[in-house]
Amino acid sequence: MKVLEINSIQKEDGYIYYIHHYKAVAKVEVLSSIISIPISFTVETNPLGIRTVELDPLPAKLDYPVIPITKAIKALIDKMAQEGSLPQV
């Protein structure tokens, strides 16, 4: 299992400046096939600068364990936030 990319990222309006809500599509390679999973996630930065990524539950139709996919997607989102490649507006 490998997360190839996260694309079609759209930022949703929020009223708290340190919490950002997003919707996107994750492309994941599972057992030599590529599937697209719609995801929504939240990136929160606390006053000390520590970033927390929360991922909404994945669709139940996946034929693969959810925990490894969730961890890999969260890691990629955190990397993208650190690099500044998530939309800010």
Side-chain angles (χ1 to χ4, degrees):
M1 187 280 310
K2 180 179 177 183
V3 179
L4 301 175
E5 66 179 339
I6 297 176
N7 56 20
S8 302
I9 302 172
Q10 298 175 351
K11 186 174 186 222
E12 297 180 341
D13 292 334
Y15 301 105
I16 302 175
Y17 71 93
Y18 56 90
I19 299 175
H20 304 283
H21 302 283
Y22 298 93
K23 287 190 180 263
V25 176
K27 289 192 178 183
V28 180
E29 181 180 6
V30 177
L31 302 172
S32 72
S33 66
I34 298 175
I35 59 172
S36 295
I37 305 170
I39 59 172
S40 59
F41 59 94
T42 303
V43 179
E44 178 179 351
T45 306
N46 72 10
L48 300 175
I50 299 171
R51 187 174 25 263
T52 305
V53 176
E54 293 297 324
L55 185 65
D56 289 350
L58 298 176
K61 63 181 180 175
L62 292 176
D63 291 335
Y64 195 82
V66 177
I67 294 175
I69 292 177
T70 302
K71 286 177 66 176
I73 290 174
K74 280 184 170 183
L76 183 56
I77 292 169
D78 190 41
K79 180 181 173 190
M80 291 174 71
Q82 185 176 11
E83 293 172 351
S85 59
L86 291 176
Q88 296 299 318
V89 178

